[in-house]
Amino acid sequence: MTRSVTVYGFGSAFGDTKTAIDVDLLIVHHVTDSSSCQLAIAGKRRLAESVANAHITMLSNVEEAHFQFIKTARAVSLGAIREARFDGDLAALKPAFSQLSALRLAF
């Protein structure tokens, strides 16, 4: 089974890029075992290195469902990062950030 996490964007950068000063991202990991958590941490690290002013939150599926974070924050799905295609999936997220003028992309 290939592990994966889902990346969401929320906040002002995804609503009004003229006033955004940061980029809020959410990573949801679907399993709470060590490998899934490590994949989420690795994704967070790479996104933090690649996206200027990124504020990244990580939640498990269970935590997200409990807090209803995606609904409350009006988060939009940007894509998935699969363990087996880590670098390619990170690169595939790049178009989601292309319209955000405050970003420095280093994928």
Side-chain angles (χ1 to χ4, degrees), residues 10-25:
F10 64 98
S12 59
F14 293 91
D16 182 3
T17 58
K18 293 177 184 168
T19 62
I21 58 171
D22 64 357
V23 179
D24 297 305
L25 300 173

Side-chain angles (χ1 to χ4, degrees), residues 68-89:
Q68 296 186 353
F69 189 95
I70 294 168
K71 180 180 177 182
T72 303
R74 297 181 184 161
V76 294
S77 178
L78 302 178
I81 302 172
R82 296 166 290 181
E83 187 174 44
R85 292 192 29 88
F86 188 80
D87 291 327
D89 287 346

